[in-house]
Amino acid sequence: STMGKDKPVKDKKEKKEKKEKKEKKEKKVEEEVEAVEETSKAEVVLSPIAKPLADSKLSKKVLKLISKASKKKLLRRGVKEVVKSIRKGKKGVCVLAGDVSPMDVISHIPVACEDQSIPYVYVKSKEELGAAGSCKRPTSVVLVDIDGKSFDHQDLYDECFEECKKVQIS
């Protein structure tokens, strides 16, 4: 009969430990987000080819789109993956980081995007781009590729697509 009394105490202890772990994890995630925001507030050295650069409003929209697409697995991250998708004729919105050094790493991507008539835009930092794509690593380029797939945030995608087309240099 004493066994029955010990078990609920153990369950409470386990629940408390789980709750503490969860809170620690949430706190860690919040700290990472704050750290990324602080680094993005610091002065970032932009490369001279980072045009068209998204203003803060468009930047927020694009990063929001990237995070939504990332959750639905409709995102291509990194130079190699993006170039491969562009060459295969995938359509979407291409977002590049403006602080990539050396800039030669991504300098050929805008040309490829123009050839395939894919709108592209630069954001200020690769850290922002990586965080939006729900990955800890800074990312130099992403392609939101919803090629014929169902996407819950189609209106946001269309809006970003049109705004990126508007800021394009003719």
Side-chain angles (χ1 to χ4, degrees):
S1 65
T2 54
M3 285 177 145
K5 290 180 183 177
D6 290 341
K7 197 170 184 177
V9 174
K10 193 176 179 184
D11 285 345
K12 283 181 185 177
K13 210 175 199 181
E14 282 177 14
K15 282 182 184 177
K16 193 176 183 183
E17 283 174 9
K18 278 186 181 179
K19 193 177 181 184
E20 284 173 1
K21 273 187 182 179
K22 192 177 179 183
E23 286 172 356
K24 260 188 187 177
K25 196 176 182 182
E26 286 172 359
K27 196 174 186 182
K28 193 176 180 184
V29 169
E30 284 175 25
E31 285 172 3
E32 284 176 5
V33 170
E34 285 174 18
V36 167
E37 285 174 359
E38 281 176 28
T39 55
S40 64
K41 284 177 188 171
E43 193 56 44
V44 179
V45 180
L46 293 173
S47 70
I49 64 160
K51 287 174 179 65
L53 184 68
D55 59 347
S56 61
K57 192 179 173 186
L58 178 57
S59 191
K60 273 184 183 173
K61 274 185 191 171
V62 167
L63 293 173
K64 188 178 179 182
L65 173 70
I66 290 169
S67 71
K68 303 279 186 196
S70 165
K71 287 173 185 144
K72 295 286 181 187
K73 307 266 192 278
L74 302 171
L75 200 64
R76 302 274 161 262
R77 297 180 187 86
V79 177
K80 192 176 176 183
E81 229 177 294
V82 169
V83 169
K84 191 166 124 185
S85 293
I86 292 171
R87 243 186 309 132
K88 283 184 175 178
K90 302 274 188 201
K91 298 291 178 198
V93 176
C94 187
V95 185
L96 301 110
D99 65 340
V100 176
S101 175
M103 64 184 168
D104 303 347
V105 174
I106 60 164
S107 60
H108 64 287
I109 295 175
V111 178
C113 286
E114 284 171 9
D115 289 345
Q116 297 285 341
S117 64
I118 295 171
Y120 65 93
V121 70
Y122 285 86
V123 291
K124 283 185 180 151
S125 81
K126 55 190 176 200
E127 281 79 12
E128 273 181 349
L129 209 53
S134 61
C135 122
K136 289 178 184 173
R137 196 97 179 94
T139 309
S140 53
V141 59
V142 299
L143 179 74
V144 180
D145 165 33
I146 65 160
D147 213 24
K149 299 174 189 93
S150 62
F151 186 50
D152 302 339
H153 308 281
Q154 186 70 42
D155 51 342
L156 178 65
Y157 172 80
D158 293 336
E159 204 174 315
C160 288
F161 189 90
E162 290 307 315
E163 285 191 38
C164 289
K165 260 190 174 173
K166 279 181 200 168
V167 297
Q168 216 77 151
I169 303 166
S170 300

